[in-house]
Amino acid sequence: MGILLAIQGAASQGVLWGIMALGLYITFKVLDFADLTVDGSFALGGSVTAVLLVNGWNPFLSLLIAFIAGGISGIITGLLHTKLEIPGILAGILTMIALYSINIRIMGQANTPLLGVDTVMSFFEETMGMNRTLSSLVVGVLFSVVIILIMYWFFGTELGSAIRATGNNEKMVRAQGVNTDNMKIIGLMLSNALVALSGAMVAQSQGYGDVGMGTGTIVIGLASIIIGEVIFGARFSFWYRLLSVVLGSVVYRIIISVVLQLGLKSTDLKLLTAIIVAAALALPVLKKRIKTQTPKGGSSC
C-alpha cells in the first residue's frame, strides 16, 4: 500500500515536472541549444508565485506572471548568446548564476512557505473534494494537455517551423533570409517560460518556494526526455513526442519513488539519476550493436 501511495504521489509530481521537460525539449531537441538557464528559471517561477500568493494575488494570475518572468530570463540568455556572441552553454550558466541572487531578492529570503495560502491545488481541493495529491495530478494533466496542444499548433506555424529549421540547419535557414538570432531568442523565451511555469506549479503543490528548488533541473529534464524516447519511441506525429516527454517524466518520478520505498537513501538520488540517464542513453546504442552483430538467417556456400 505504501508503494502504491508513493506511485500516486510520484505520478502527480511527474506531470508537473513534465511541463518543465517540455520546455527543455524546445531547447535541446527542437533548437539544438544546450541551455543551462533552466536551473535558475525553475526556481524563478517558484519564487515569483510564492511571493505573489503570500501577498494575496490570484493563484492562476501568479502562474501567468511566473510564466512571463521565465520568458524574460530566456530572452536574457538569448541576447547574451546572439548579440554578445557568448557561447550558448556559458550564456545559460551566467543567467543561471544571476538568477540565484535575483530569486533571493524576490523572496527576501531563501525560502517562502505557503501554509494557509490559496493555491491552484487548494482551489480544486475545495471545489471537487480532492486531496492534495489528486488535485496536483488533475492540475498537471490539464495544463500538460493544453500546453501540448498549443505547442503542436505553434510549431506547425511559419514561425514555429522556422524555429525547428534553425535547430536542424542554421546555415540553410539563414540563407533563406530567416533571422536565426531571433528564432533562438524566441525558442529560449518559450522554453524558460514553460520551465518557470512548472516551477510555479511545483511550488504551489509542495507548499513553499525555495531558492534551491531548481538544483538539478537540467538533469531531471534530460532524464525525462531520454526515458520518454527510449520507452515510447518517436512514433506517429510531433504531438506524440511531446506526450512521451511528459510520460517520461512520470516514469522517472515513479522509478525514484519506488526505489526510495525499497530503502535507498535520499542522498543517493543524484547517483541514481546519473545511472538512469546513462542507461537510457546507452540502451539505443546497445540495441543497434546487438542487431549488427546478430548473424542473418541462412548460410552461403
Side-chain angles (χ1 to χ4, degrees), residues 1-296:
M1 182 61 69
I3 292 179
L4 291 177
L5 292 175
I7 290 176
Q8 184 181 8
S12 64
Q13 288 298 305
V15 176
L16 296 178
W17 282 81
I19 297 173
M20 176 275 299
L22 287 173
L24 196 62
Y25 184 88
I26 296 176
T27 50
F28 273 85
K29 287 295 183 179
V30 176
L31 204 55
D32 193 24
F33 187 98
D35 181 30
L36 299 182
T37 312
V38 295
D39 277 26
S41 58
F42 186 86
L44 174 65
S47 301
V48 169
T49 195
V51 170
L52 293 177
L53 290 178
V54 168
N55 286 278
W57 284 61
N58 181 279
F60 292 94
L61 183 58
S62 73
L63 293 181
L64 175 60
I65 297 176
F67 180 85
I68 295 172
I72 294 173
S73 69
I75 291 175
I76 294 173
T77 300
L79 291 174
L80 289 175
H81 173 61
T82 59
K83 304 307 179 184
L84 301 182
E85 298 184 359
I86 298 175
I89 190 169
L90 182 56
I93 292 174
L94 291 174
T95 308
M96 175 188 68
I97 294 173
L99 284 174
Y100 183 85
S101 297
I102 292 173
N103 292 335
I104 293 181
R105 282 278 187 175
I106 291 173
M107 292 191 293
Q109 54 191 354
N111 184 287
T112 300
L114 298 176
L115 298 176
V117 177
D118 290 334
T119 64
V120 175
M121 284 67 189
S122 65
F123 171 79
F124 278 84
E125 291 175 26
E126 295 171 0
T127 56
M128 299 186 180
M130 301 177 179
N131 58 30
R132 177 54 59 92
T133 300
L134 185 56
S135 64
S136 297
L137 180 61
V138 171
V139 171
V141 170
L142 290 176
F143 272 81
S144 295
V145 170
V146 172
I147 291 171
I148 287 174
L149 291 175
I150 293 175
M151 288 179 65
Y152 179 69
W153 166 81
F154 173 75
F155 284 106
T157 63
E158 184 175 347
L159 178 59
S161 298
I163 295 175
R164 296 173 69 176
T166 300
N168 288 329
N169 194 326
E170 183 177 348
K171 292 182 179 179
M172 184 194 72
V173 175
R174 193 182 299 117
Q176 299 297 321
V178 177
N179 190 324
T180 55
D181 286 351
N182 289 343
M183 297 303 104
K184 290 180 180 180
I185 293 174
I186 294 173
L188 287 165
M189 177 188 69
L190 293 175
S191 171
N192 284 280
L194 288 176
V195 171
L197 175 62
S198 175
M201 296 177 69
V202 170
Q204 292 196 26
S205 175
Q206 62 189 12
Y208 65 89
D210 188 90
V211 71
M213 63 186 293
T215 304
T217 298
I218 185 71
V219 178
I220 296 173
L222 286 176
S224 302
I225 294 171
I226 295 166
I227 290 173
E229 287 184 344
V230 170
I231 295 180
F232 303 102
R235 309 178 185 88
F236 309 120
S237 182
F238 183 64
W239 67 266
Y240 180 82
R241 298 178 186 178
L242 297 176
L243 178 61
S244 69
V245 171
V246 178
L247 294 177
S249 176
V250 173
V251 171
Y252 169 79
R253 284 289 166 183
I254 290 176
I255 293 173
I256 295 294
S257 179
V258 170
V259 172
L260 286 175
Q261 286 290 318
L262 295 177
L264 182 74
K265 295 182 179 179
S266 59
T267 53
D268 295 329
L269 281 181
K270 299 294 184 183
L271 175 61
L272 177 61
T273 299
I275 294 174
I276 292 174
V277 174
L281 286 171
L283 187 59
V285 178
L286 294 175
K287 285 183 177 180
K288 186 176 180 180
R289 289 183 179 178
I290 292 174
K291 287 182 179 179
T292 55
Q293 293 177 1
T294 301
K296 297 181 179 180

